[in-house]
């Protein structure tokens, strides 16, 4: 295990080098400018997310699709991930994580638009979509579409499964002394009950869990920030200065503080909000929506809640606690977050435990859908049952393996998924602009999608 972990550490370091950082953040910025800053439409997006386009094609409501996507993104990346980013990259990683979310809104918007634009309807009436369909139908790049689907299926066992199961079992053992194998069995059983019911079952559970768990976690963060109000300005200044510091890294590490902060901040930002990863559009394609832009806006609101709000609050909580108590060690992300929440009398540790348990479990559910759709694209419906069995078994495996190993594997899978997805976004940016102009810039947001016109455009684009 140690040898494998060392190999994965090196691979992750290579994949998340400056080329990936430039590629990812560059795509975020390019799409932000190309689409005339869609971030300014965030309140419209939030309003649409609670509306229902019940007369439109789709398997679940727009809110159901958003809740499932948020369930898959709001997880250990928001709690343990931010603490880990601070532990590995310093306080400056919080700003890079936040900036990834701000600019990532444009990327998540683009992903949601292409998901609806190129989705397909199966013989039994289900809606399927995602980057693999955009790559195949929009660009004719079948091989790259297969690669994305393969990486997604693999990633579902890392970022969406074993990482979350590991976090649950570790916390349960630390908090209540429950053996990791016992936690693994319970999580397996609960996961099986939900995912065997398909996307509608997953959406129902996530729609109930997400608002409830997010509210309690945010209230806990607000309480800690009130306690640490005297250190908030110092925390903000430290985050900003460390994010752009060119001084050399100490402790035997190589490079500058800004390099370390950017690497871990952007990596954890993507892990948290998944903008550019290509996962969220898979469930966005199942939404009942009138046109691609409406769902694109709804999808973009997920990144706002996940990173711009929740991750930012977690980062401020962690950094302000480090300043408030110099004895607090910043070397362990999970412990750092736990110590921060202990500042809430009596209920702090239970609140963190409850938040992590619900966040992580909902992420397991959301990613099971992503993996299923990837497997269906690669092998067809007949392999879904085998995938579900393997996915449930992986929950137990994730509960008992090394956390470092799981995190490094998740980082590798993130990068390998992101590459083909980012390529599709850049190659199809003209289509994204065209649809945005048609429905949003010209004020036709309530207009129904013309299927025959879209099919003709897809054919023309494929021929080009």
């Amino acid at each position: 295990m140690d040898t494998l972990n060392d190999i994965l550490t090196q691979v992750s370091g290579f994949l998340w080098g400056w080329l990936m950082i430039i590629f990812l953040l560059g795509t975020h910025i390019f799409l932000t400018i190309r689409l005339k800053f869609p971030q300014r439409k965030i309140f419209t997006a939030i309003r649409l997310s609670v509306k229902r386009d019940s007369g439109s094609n789709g398997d679940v409501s727009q809110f159901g699709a958003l809740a499932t996507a948020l369930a898959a993104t709001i997880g250990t990346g928001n709690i343990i991930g931010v603490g880990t980013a601070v532990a590995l990259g310093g306080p400056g990683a919080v700003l890079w994580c936040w900036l990834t979310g701000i600019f990532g809104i444009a990327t998540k918007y683009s992903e949601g638009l292409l998901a609806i634009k190129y989705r397909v309807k199966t013989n039994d009436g289900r809606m399927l979509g995602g980057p693999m369909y955009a790559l195949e139908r929009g660009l004719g790049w079948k091989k790259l579409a297969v690669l994305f689907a393969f990486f997604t299926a693999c990633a579902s066992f890392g970022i969406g499964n074993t990482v979350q199961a590991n976090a649950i079992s570790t916390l349960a053992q630390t908090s209540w002394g429950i053996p990791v194998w016992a936690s693994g069995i319970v999580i397996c059983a609960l996961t099986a009950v939900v995912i065997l019911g398909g996307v509608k079952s997953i959406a129902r559970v996530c729609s109930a869990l997400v608002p409830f768990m997010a509210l309690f976690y945010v209230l806990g963060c607000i309480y800690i920030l009130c306690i640490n109000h005297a250190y908030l300005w110092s925390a903000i200044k430290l985050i900003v200065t460390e994010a752009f510091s060119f001084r050399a890294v100490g402790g035997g590490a190589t490079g500058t503080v800004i390099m370390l902060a950017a690497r871990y901040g952007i990596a954890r930002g993507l892990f948290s909000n998944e903008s550019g990863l290509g996962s969220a559009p898979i469930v966005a394609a199942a939404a009942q929506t009138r046109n691609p832009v409406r769902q694109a806006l709804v999808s973009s609101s997920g990144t706002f809640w996940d990173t711009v709000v929740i991750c930012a609050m977690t980062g401020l909580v962690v950094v302000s606690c480090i300043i408030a108590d110099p004895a607090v060690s910043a070397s362990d992300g999970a412990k750092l977050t736990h110590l921060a929440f202990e500042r809430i009398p009596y209920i702090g540790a239970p609140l963190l435990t409850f938040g992590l348990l619900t966040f992580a479990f909902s992420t397991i559910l959301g990613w099971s859908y992503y993996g299923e759709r990837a497997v269906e694209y690669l092998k067809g419906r007949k392999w879904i049952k085998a995938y579900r069995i393997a996915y449930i078994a992986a929950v137990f495996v994730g509960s008992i393996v090394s956390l470092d190993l799981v995190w490094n594997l998740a980082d590798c899978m993130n990068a390998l998924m992101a590459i083909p997805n980012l390529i599709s976004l850049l190659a199809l940016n003209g289509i994204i602009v065209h649809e945005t102009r048609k429905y949003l810039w010209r004020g036709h947001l309530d207009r129904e999608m013309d299927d025959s016109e879209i099919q003709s455009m897809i054919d023309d684009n494929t021929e080009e």
Side-chain angles (χ1 to χ4, degrees), residues 111-452:
E111 291 175 327
L113 190 152
L114 294 180
I116 300 297
K117 174 74 176 175
Y118 295 113
R119 67 181 179 179
V120 298
K121 190 173 184 178
T122 64
N123 293 331
D124 56 358
R126 294 177 301 112
M127 289 292 182
L128 304 179
M132 54 277 206
Y133 293 92
L135 285 163
E136 180 182 354
R137 301 187 66 201
L139 295 164
W141 295 349
K142 175 72 173 180
K143 291 182 179 179
L144 200 58
V146 170
L147 278 177
F148 174 83
F150 174 76
F151 292 142
T152 301
C154 293
S156 68
F157 289 97
I159 181 176
N161 185 319
T162 50
V163 164
Q164 314 302 328
N166 188 281
I168 293 173
S169 63
T170 301
L171 190 59
Q173 184 182 49
T174 303
S175 302
W176 303 308
I178 299 175
V180 291
W181 61 266
S183 299
I185 292 174
V186 173
I187 306 167
C188 281
L190 293 175
T191 301
V193 169
V194 179
I195 69 172
L196 292 177
V199 64
K200 292 183 179 180
S201 173
I202 294 171
R204 279 197 302 270
V205 174
C206 292
S207 295
L209 274 179
V210 169
F212 180 71
M213 68 188 187
L215 176 63
F216 272 89
Y217 181 75
V218 168
L219 289 175
C221 287
I222 291 174
Y223 183 88
I224 297 173
L225 292 176
C226 288
I227 295 175
N228 293 346
H229 70 277
Y231 307 99
L232 277 183
W233 182 241
S234 297
I236 293 171
K237 288 196 296 184
L238 181 62
I239 288 170
V240 174
T241 54
E242 289 289 289
F244 299 103
S245 173
F246 285 92
R247 63 181 174 81
V249 179
T254 58
T256 59
V257 172
I258 185 174
M259 290 176 63
L260 209 60
R263 180 196 164 187
Y264 287 105
I266 292 175
R268 291 294 178 254
L270 174 59
F271 183 89
S272 173
N273 63 55
E274 299 179 12
S275 293
L277 190 62
S279 52
I282 296 175
V283 70
Q288 297 170 340
T289 186
R290 297 179 195 175
N291 59 63
V293 170
R294 287 175 73 91
Q295 184 55 38
L297 288 169
V298 171
S299 294
S300 71
S301 69
T303 298
F304 172 79
W305 292 120
D306 179 271
T307 306
V308 180
V309 176
I310 296 179
C311 278
M313 294 184 73
T314 303
L316 282 174
V317 164
V318 169
V319 176
S320 64
C321 285
I322 293 174
I323 296 175
D325 186 359
V328 173
S329 172
S331 60
D332 187 326
K335 187 177 181 181
L336 188 57
T337 309
H338 186 77
L339 290 173
F341 271 79
E342 282 185 342
R343 296 180 72 84
I344 304 177
Y346 306 113
I347 65 169
L351 178 63
L352 177 63
T353 302
F354 173 76
L356 185 56
L357 289 175
T358 52
F359 284 171
F361 179 64
S362 65
T363 300
I364 292 173
L365 300 182
W367 266 90
S368 70
Y369 180 77
Y370 299 158
E372 277 193 21
R373 297 290 74 80
V375 170
E376 182 172 359
Y377 179 83
L378 292 170
K379 291 291 186 178
R381 291 279 292 171
K382 60 183 180 180
W383 284 83
I384 295 299
K385 185 177 291 186
Y387 169 82
R388 287 176 176 174
I389 293 172
Y391 192 84
I392 293 168
V395 170
F396 181 79
V397 175
S399 300
I400 60 176
V401 298
S402 164
L403 181 62
D404 289 338
L405 176 63
V406 173
W407 274 107
N408 283 323
L409 180 61
D411 275 346
C412 292
M413 291 297 103
N414 281 357
L416 292 173
M417 274 187 70
I419 291 171
N421 179 57
L422 293 173
I423 290 173
S424 72
L425 291 171
L426 293 174
L428 292 169
N429 76 87
I431 297 294
I432 298 168
V433 171
H434 174 85
E435 295 295 301
T436 302
R437 181 185 299 113
K438 177 180 176 181
Y439 293 106
L440 183 60
W441 296 344
R442 292 178 178 171
H444 300 309
L445 201 53
D446 292 330
R447 183 177 173 181
E448 292 287 344
M449 182 168 49
D450 187 338
D451 291 336
S452 62

Side-chain angles (χ1 to χ4, degrees), residues 1-16 263 402-413 416:
M1 284 295 182
D2 290 339
T3 302
L4 178 59
N5 188 51
D6 290 341
I7 294 172
L8 288 174
T9 300
Q10 294 179 12
V11 173
S12 175
F14 171 76
L15 290 173
W16 284 107
R263 180 196 164 187
S402 164
L403 181 62
D404 289 338
L405 176 63
V406 173
W407 274 107
N408 283 323
L409 180 61
D411 275 346
C412 292
M413 291 297 103
L416 292 173

